[in-house]
């Protein structure tokens, strides 16, 4: 049975019928007619930046968390109490993953799960973080969600990222920040080839700056991608996320190889002139 029947669409003010095409905002939980959502360009609630969720997907969510037993909201990817990711019910099975009692865990697994839950709880309970961030991060999702939450909470721009310190431009490319990576790589290449030991010192300074402000730059870039995604029609958004989310190992490796070859060629030319 459709639980939204007779509720009022906040856009057209008409009551929902059982056969209406209803979508749900994944941020505030407001139901809308699909046509109303598309016509309005998103959720009608002021300042809400939620994404469209189908009625079937919303109803497939379990009612209680399998980890802590807390009631689950109709929206959100994680339990708001313990941070456990919410799994969908299997429509082809009589049992639900969330109806099972938690299995006994070994100490190492339990410690890891506790660490993970603290990380995912950041985006589940921190209203300052966009709910779409987790879809774009890819590897090290827990680390970046914790870092982003801390930056938002403390209203700061600085943190520390060891990967950005040691790899700088390659890290940017790996995280699909191609424009920033190209600028950093070009500056470092020119300094290394043309400025000698002083250039190497400046490259070290650039690495430190990348480590300090890398997480904030990454957060800013991800938020721009999310805004671009939400400006697209609903049917184009999944492919946009797949293309612009996650990481790009191949590109980082190719850039590293290209940088090495350019350095070798330049050094060869300088030696034989």
């Amino acid at each position: 049975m459709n639980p939204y029947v007779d509720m009022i669409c906040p856009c057209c003010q008409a009551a929902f019928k059982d056969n209406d095409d209803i979508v749900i905002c994944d941020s505030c939980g407001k139901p809308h007619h699909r046509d109303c959502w598309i016509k309005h360009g998103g959720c009608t609630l002021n300042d809400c930046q939620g994404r469209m969720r189908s009625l079937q997907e919303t109803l497939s969510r379990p009612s209680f968390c399998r980890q802590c037993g807390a009631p689950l909201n109709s929206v959100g990817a994680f339990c708001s109490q313990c941070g456990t990711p919410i799994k969908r019910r299997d429509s082809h099975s009589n049992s639900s993953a969330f109806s099972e009692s938690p299995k006994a865990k070994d100490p190492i697994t339990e410690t890891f799960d506790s660490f993970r839950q603290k990380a995912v709880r950041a985006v589940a309970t921190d209203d300052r973080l966009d709910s779409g961030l987790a879809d774009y991060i890819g590897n090290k999702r827990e680390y970046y969600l914790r870092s982003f939450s801390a930056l938002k909470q403390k209203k700061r721009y600085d943190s520390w990222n060891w990967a950005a310190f040691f790899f700088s431009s390659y890290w940017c490319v790996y995280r699909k920040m191609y424009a920033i990576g190209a600028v950093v790589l070009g500056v470092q290449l020119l300094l290394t080839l043309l400025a000698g030991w002083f250039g190497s010192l400046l490259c070290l300074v650039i690495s430190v700056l990348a480590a300090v402000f890398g997480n904030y730059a990454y957060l800013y870039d991800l938020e721009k991608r999310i805004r671009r995604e939400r400006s697209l029609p609903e049917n184009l958004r999944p492919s946009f996320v797949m293309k612009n989310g996650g990481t790009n190992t191949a590109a980082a490796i190719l850039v590293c190889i290209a940088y090495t070859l350019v350095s070798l060629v330049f050094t060869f030319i300088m030696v034989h002139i």
Side-chain angles (χ1 to χ4, degrees), residues 76-91:
F78 306 96
C79 173
S80 61
Q81 297 299 316
C82 69
T84 298
I86 297 174
K87 297 181 180 179
R88 306 293 175 190
R89 289 193 182 102
D90 185 355
S91 59

Side-chain angles (χ1 to χ4, degrees), residues 1 3-4 24 53-64 72-76 86-93 95-99:
M1 180 178 178
Y4 297 99
I24 316 299
R53 190 190 299 276
S54 68
L55 178 62
Q56 181 180 6
E57 184 180 6
T58 301
L59 296 179
S60 71
R61 296 166 63 84
S63 301
F64 297 93
L72 297 173
N73 297 324
S74 61
V75 297
I86 297 174
K87 297 181 180 179
R88 306 293 175 190
R89 289 193 182 102
D90 185 355
S91 59
H92 302 289
S93 174
S95 62
S96 167
F98 278 69
S99 64

Side-chain angles (χ1 to χ4, degrees), residues 14 22 30 121 132 146 170 182 194 198 204 237 243 258:
I22 301 173
K30 288 284 186 182
R121 191 185 299 123
R146 288 200 320 275
Y170 307 132
L194 302 178
F198 183 70
L204 178 60
R237 294 182 183 182
K243 179 180 178 181

